[in-house]
Amino acid sequence: MNILFFTRRTSLILAISLSLILHLVVIYFLFNKWDEGIKIQKVSPPKYLQAKLINLDEKIKKKIQPKPKPKPKPKPKPKPKPKKNNEKKIKHKILDEQETKSLQASKQLELENKKIVSSYSAYIIERIEANWNRPPSARRGMESKLLIRLVPTGQVISVKLLKTSGNIAFDRSAEQAVYKVGSFDKLQQLDIQTFEKNFRKLQLVFKPNDLRL
Amino acid sequence: MKKINLIIILFAFISLSASAELSINITKGIDNPTKIAVAPLSFYGNQLPEDTSRIIEENLKRSGLFDPISRKNMLSFPGTIKDIYFRDWKILGAEYLVIGSLISSGDFYEITYSLLEVHSSRLVFTKIAKGSKRQLRDLSHHISDEIYEAITGIEGAFSTKVAYVTSLKSNNKTLYKLMVSDVDGARERLILESNHPIMSPSWSPDAKELVYVSFETGRPAVFRQNLANANRKQLTDFRGLNGAPSWSPDGKKLALVLSKDGNPEIYTFDLSKEKFIRHTNHFAIDTEPNWAPDSKSLVFTSDRGGSPQIYRLILKNGEVQRLTFRGSYNARPRLASNGRTLVMIHRSAHQFHIATQDLVNGDLRILSNTSLDESPTVSPNSAMLLYATKINNRGVLAAVSLDAGVKFLLPSKQGDVREPAWSPK
C-alpha cells in the first residue's frame, strides 16, 4: 500500500512536473516570440496598434495608482469616448500578463512621445531664437511670458502676453519674434493627437542668458 | 461636504489644465539692426524745406540699431493707417513701419505720425508733433526720438547738440572756432572765433550755456557763454593752468584744474557764490575732472600712483579711490549718465584707444580701432560716444556705440575738428 502509494505519488509528481516544465517552455517561447512580434509592429506602424493596447492599460493604471501625469500623452484621440463606458468592465478583466506587457509598451511609447515633443520643441526654439531681435535695453534677468495658440498647419493664430518683463520694448521684441516666424510649418508632420496634446497652446518664456549686461 | 469636494475637484482640474501647457524657454536671440521703413510724409502743397522722413531715416540708421528700407524699394507711400497693405511691407522685410502726414497753415506745421508693427499688423502709437517752418528739423529729431524709444526702450538723443573746436591753418596763422551743431552735423553754428587756442568746451545741464578755456588773454582762462545771446564772462584769471572745466549735473558748480598754488589740483567753483574750493592736495598731477550724475563725486586723472590712472573723489569727505588698474595709462575719464560706465582713453600696445570700464563688474572694453583717439564724450542716453581721432593726419570726429557695434566718422568739415562735447538732453 505504502509502496503503491509512493509509486503512484511519484508518478503523479513526475507527470505534474513534466507538464509544468512543458507549460513553462511553451510559455517561455510564447513570451519571447510575443515580445519580438511587438517590437516589429512598433517599428513599422508607430502608434495606432499600440495605442489601443495601452489605452486599456492606462485606465487600469489610473485606477490602481494615481499617477495621471505621464500617462495622458500616448492617449489616442478616438479612444476617449469608449473610455468611460469600458472602464468598469475592463477593471474586472485584468490579466496580469497583459498588464505588465502593455505597461512596458506604454512606457516605451511614452518615452518616444517625449522625444517627439522635445524635438519639436527644439525646432520651435530654433525658429524663434533666429527671429528674436532683442532691444538694446534688454538685460539679463528680464523675463516675459507669452501664450501662443497654433493650428495644426503650424500657423500662429494668437499671441498673448502672460507676464511682462517690465520693459515694454523687450515684451514687444518677444511678441515680434513669434509674429515674425508666423508659422511653424514642421508641426504639420505631427500626428494630430500629439499636436493637440502639446502644441495647440504653448507657453513661451523669453529669458535671455547670452547678454553681456 | 459636497461643495468642498466639488471645489477641490475644480481646483485640481484648474491646476492640471494650467500645468498642461507645454512651456518652452527661449534664452538666445540675434541682435541685428531692426528693419524699419520710414515712408515719406504725405502732404499737400509746396515742397517742404526739409525731407523730414529722410532725416528720421538717417537718424535711426546712424544709431546703428536700425536698418532702414530704401525708399526706392517701397511699393506705396501710405499717409494714413487705412492705406497700409501690410503684406507689401512684410515682403520688403520691414519689422516696423513709420507713416505720417503733414498739414500746414502758413508757416505752421502739424505732423501726425504713426509707428506700426508689420508682422502683427498692430499700431504701436500715433502722435502729433507741431512747430514752425524753421523747426521742421527739430520736429524730425523729436519724431526720431519717439520711434527710437518705443522700439529700443532707451531714450533717444537725436534732439541733442554737439560742441566742438575746429582749427584751420592759413598763412602761418591758426584760426580756432568753437562750434555747435545738431548731432547729425547739420545746422552748424559759430559760437566763438579766435586766433588763440580754444579748449575743453563743457555744457550747462540745461544746454543753454557753455564753459570753455580760451587763451585769448595770453594765458588760459575759463569763460562762460550763453548760446542764445552770446553773453560771456571770464571766470578765472590765475597764474598757470586754468583748465578742463566741467559743469555739474545739478548746475551749481564747475569742477576745474588750477595750478595757482604750485601744481595742478582739482577745484570746484560755486557759480552763485563765485567761490573756489580746493579738493586735492598731492604733489602729483591731478587733472581732467568730470562729474558723477548725482553731483556728489568727481572722477579725475592723476599720476599719483606712478602712471596716469583714474580716481574717484567723494566731495563730502575728500576721500579718493582708485578706479582703474589695467594698463599703464588710463586718462580723460567721462562718466556716462547711467553712473556705471566709465569712458576713458586707454593705452594698449603703444596706441591710445577709447575704452569703457564697467564700474560694477570691472569689465574693460576697447571700443575704437583707430589710434590717437582723444576726448571721448558720451551721449545723454549712454548709448553712443563721440571722440576725436586722426584720419590721414586730419583731426575728425568719430562715433561709436557703447557696445562697439556701430562705428562711423562724422561728415568731415574744414580743417581739424577736436574736443567734442555732447550736450545734455
Side-chain angles (χ1 to χ4, degrees), chain B residues 229-275:
Chain B
N229 56 24
N231 280 346
R232 63 199 291 258
K233 186 182 177 188
Q234 186 173 350
L235 300 179
T236 68
D237 189 19
F238 297 111
R239 269 192 308 132
L241 211 65
N242 293 250
S246 170
W247 210 310
S248 70
D250 64 12
K252 292 176 186 160
K253 293 175 184 171
L254 295 184
L256 69 168
V257 179
L258 301 172
S259 66
K260 63 188 178 83
D261 299 328
N263 82 320
E265 302 286 357
I266 308 288
Y267 287 76
T268 54
F269 175 65
D270 191 308
L271 288 164
S272 54
K273 293 177 195 155
E274 306 217 325
K275 225 178 80 189

Side-chain angles (χ1 to χ4, degrees), chain B residues 331-350:
Chain B
R332 202 13 174 91
R334 286 289 179 267
L335 257 178
S337 56
N338 60 19
R340 174 173 174 165
T341 312
L342 181 72
V343 178
M344 60 197 180
I345 305 287
H346 172 79
R347 186 176 64 195
S348 71
H350 304 291

Side-chain angles (χ1 to χ4, degrees), chain A residues 127 130-133 175-182, chain B residues 30 95 119:
Chain A
R127 295 290 299 128
N131 284 282
W132 186 22
N133 212 346
E175 292 171 344
Q176 282 277 87
V178 179
Y179 282 120
K180 247 167 100 183
V181 175
Chain B
I30 43 159
E95 295 166 61
H119 291 275

Side-chain angles (χ1 to χ4, degrees), chain A residues 102-142:
Chain A
S102 43
L103 226 161
Q104 267 185 332
S106 80
K107 257 185 193 159
Q108 224 144 13
L109 198 106
E110 195 186 302
L111 234 145
E112 202 170 293
N113 227 303
K114 262 189 187 161
K115 256 196 243 166
I116 290 172
V117 170
S118 77
S119 83
Y120 280 87
S121 298
Y123 156 71
I124 290 172
I125 292 172
E126 184 197 305
R127 295 290 299 128
I128 295 178
E129 286 185 347
N131 284 282
W132 186 22
N133 212 346
R134 283 88 51 97
S137 54
R139 292 287 176 272
R140 257 184 268 157
M142 282 185 183

Side-chain angles (χ1 to χ4, degrees), chain A residues 133 137 172 175 203 205 207, chain B residues 22 24 26 32 122 150 152:
Chain A
N133 212 346
S137 54
R172 188 178 291 129
E175 292 171 344
Q203 263 188 38
V205 182
K207 196 177 177 183
Chain B
L22 192 62
I24 293 177
I26 314 292
N32 292 340
R122 289 195 301 196
T152 65

Side-chain angles (χ1 to χ4, degrees), chain A:
Chain A
M1 204 32 199
N2 242 343
I3 297 160
L4 213 128
F5 178 75
F6 183 75
T7 46
R8 254 179 81 181
R9 217 178 148 193
T10 44
S11 68
L12 208 116
I13 287 166
L14 222 139
I16 288 169
S17 51
L18 219 140
S19 76
L20 226 148
I21 287 164
L22 262 164
H23 269 92
L24 277 174
V25 167
V26 168
I27 287 166
Y28 174 78
F29 271 100
L30 212 118
F31 258 80
N32 264 12
K33 282 201 172 170
W34 222 87
D35 261 9
E36 274 169 40
I38 276 180
K39 264 171 199 162
I40 289 157
Q41 272 180 336
K42 197 179 287 162
V43 172
S44 46
K47 256 135 269 164
Y48 283 12
L49 272 174
Q50 251 147 10
K52 276 171 193 165
L53 274 172
I54 291 140
N55 221 327
L56 306 177
D57 192 38
E58 255 167 50
K59 275 140 239 151
I60 292 153
K61 235 198 144 189
K62 256 187 192 166
K63 291 268 156 166
I64 294 163
Q65 37 184 179
K67 246 195 204 171
K69 222 185 169 183
K71 288 287 125 172
K73 278 172 195 166
K75 229 188 285 168
K77 207 187 179 185
K79 280 288 123 175
K81 277 169 203 164
K83 189 163 81 175
K84 280 168 197 161
N85 310 337
N86 290 349
E87 242 177 66
K88 282 164 199 164
K89 292 176 210 163
I90 291 156
K91 198 182 165 191
H92 298 295
K93 287 184 196 167
I94 299 170
L95 290 171
D96 279 2
E97 279 175 34
Q98 216 178 359
E99 200 196 347
T100 44
K101 259 186 291 164
S102 43
L103 226 161
Q104 267 185 332
S106 80
K107 257 185 193 159
Q108 224 144 13
L109 198 106
E110 195 186 302
L111 234 145
E112 202 170 293
N113 227 303
K114 262 189 187 161
K115 256 196 243 166
I116 290 172
V117 170
S118 77
S119 83
Y120 280 87
S121 298
Y123 156 71
I124 290 172
I125 292 172
E126 184 197 305
R127 295 290 299 128
I128 295 178
E129 286 185 347
N131 284 282
W132 186 22
N133 212 346
R134 283 88 51 97
S137 54
R139 292 287 176 272
R140 257 184 268 157
M142 282 185 183
E143 186 182 320
S144 317
K145 203 184 270 181
L146 303 183
L147 180 72
I148 67 168
R149 283 164 208 273
L150 306 174
V151 287
T153 58
Q155 207 177 346
V156 179
I157 53 164
S158 83
V159 178
K160 197 179 132 201
L161 184 67
L162 288 183
K163 189 190 146 225
T164 173
S165 63
N167 177 330
I168 299 168
F170 184 89
D171 294 344
R172 188 178 291 129
S173 76
E175 292 171 344
Q176 282 277 87
V178 179
Y179 282 120
K180 247 167 100 183
V181 175
S183 180
F184 298 93
D185 294 338
K186 266 194 191 164
L187 293 185
Q188 291 169 11
Q189 301 163 0
L190 279 173
D191 64 284
I192 191 71
Q193 296 95 315
T194 318
F195 175 83
E196 291 294 345
K197 201 88 248 163
N198 304 289
F199 297 105
R200 168 74 69 182
K201 259 163 96 184
L202 273 179
Q203 263 188 38
L204 300 177
V205 182
F206 289 78
K207 196 177 177 183
N209 63 10
D210 60 337
L211 296 173
R212 198 166 59 84
L213 291 173

